[in-house]
Each structure stands twice: as structure tokens, then as C-alpha cells.
């Protein structure tokens, strides 16, 4: 995924492995519970939110210090999206967690995998 950057630069959105697994889980759960159309719409909206990171159209907050990593998060519907600026300037989607998950433990698990 590419997002417009400044000038001719483009920022890629890179979904990292743990986030990819979470996306699969979210899709399967949503499809089983509410149907394929709802699951497709939720995924489309989630990816659209990823694209809004660079333009600051989603309000991101710094990850709390107790997580032990630098990065940001924002809420999208029932999930929290955790992301970091990668060394090449791209946006790395680290993980996506449901609001009911124990965020600190799950985040550490995904980050260390």
C-alpha cells in the first residue's frame, strides 16, 4: 500500500507478520458472526484507516512507555491499531488488537514474535 507523502515521495504501509495474522483472525470472526459482506466492509474500512496515518486523518497517540517500544496507536471501531515509523520512513502496522484484549500482554507477544 502506498500513501501520498510530501512532494514526489510516497510512504508505504507495511503490514507486519503479527498484524497480518490478527487481520486474518478479525476477518474470520467477523465473517462467521455477521457475514462476508460485513467482514469485507470492515476490512476495507480498516485498510482505509491505515492509509490515513500519514495524513494524520486518524488521531494517533504515542504507545505508553510501559510497552517498551516506540510507536503509536489509534482506535478503529472495536480495535486498536499499533504502528511504528520504520527506518526507511514507511509505516509499519505492528498489530491490531480488539478493545477487550489485555493489550499489554498481547502487544508484547506480537512484538517479540
Amino acid at each position: 500500500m502506498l500513501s501520498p507523502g510530501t512532494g514526489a515521495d510516497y510512504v508505504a504501509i507495511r503490514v507486519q507478520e503479527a498484524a497480518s495474522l490478527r487481520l486474518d483472525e478479525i476477518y474470520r470472526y467477523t465473517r462467521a458472526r455477521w457475514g462476508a459482506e460485513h467482514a469485507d466492509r470492515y476490512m476495507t474500512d480498516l485498510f482505509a484507516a491505515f492509509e490515513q496515518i500519514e495524513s494524520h486523518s486518524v488521531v494517533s497517540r504515542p504507545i505508553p512507555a510501559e510497552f517498551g517500544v516506540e510507536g503509536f496507536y489509534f482506535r478503529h471501531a472495536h480495535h486498536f491499531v499499533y504502528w511504528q515509523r520504520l527506518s526507511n520512513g514507511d509505516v509499519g502496522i505492528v498489530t491490531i488488537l480488539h478493545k477487550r484484549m489485555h493489550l499489554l500482554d498481547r502487544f508484547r507477544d506480537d512484538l517479540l514474535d
Side-chain angles (χ1 to χ4, degrees):
M1 267 189 278
L2 295 178
S3 293
T6 56
D9 296 332
Y10 285 91
V11 174
I13 306 296
R14 306 221 181 262
V15 178
Q16 297 176 339
E17 186 177 356
S20 181
L21 295 172
R22 298 285 183 206
L23 285 167
D24 289 344
E25 291 170 1
I26 293 165
Y27 183 82
R28 284 192 310 271
Y29 176 83
T30 306
R31 185 185 63 205
R33 181 122 178 151
W34 292 286
E37 185 177 329
H38 186 86
D40 290 344
R41 186 171 51 251
Y42 194 78
M43 287 293 112
T44 298
D45 291 348
L46 195 54
F47 276 84
F50 298 167
E51 292 288 336
Q52 294 175 1
I53 291 171
E54 187 63 22
S55 67
H56 304 286
S57 296
V58 292
V59 178
S60 295
R61 300 177 189 271
I63 295 173
E66 61 264 23
F67 282 81
V69 296
E70 290 186 25
F72 304 90
Y73 72 97
F74 65 89
R75 185 168 177 174
H76 175 78
H78 301 289
H79 291 89
F80 287 96
V81 176
Y82 292 84
W83 64 276
Q84 294 177 314
R85 182 71 60 185
L86 303 177
S87 60
N88 65 356
D90 291 344
V91 171
I93 306 298
V94 177
T95 194
I96 301 123
L97 302 177
H98 192 274
K99 64 184 180 184
R100 293 185 183 159
M101 289 182 166
H102 190 271
L103 301 180
L104 186 58
D105 289 342
R106 291 292 185 126
F107 184 78
R108 282 191 182 132
D109 289 347
D110 285 352
L111 188 65
L112 298 175
D113 283 346

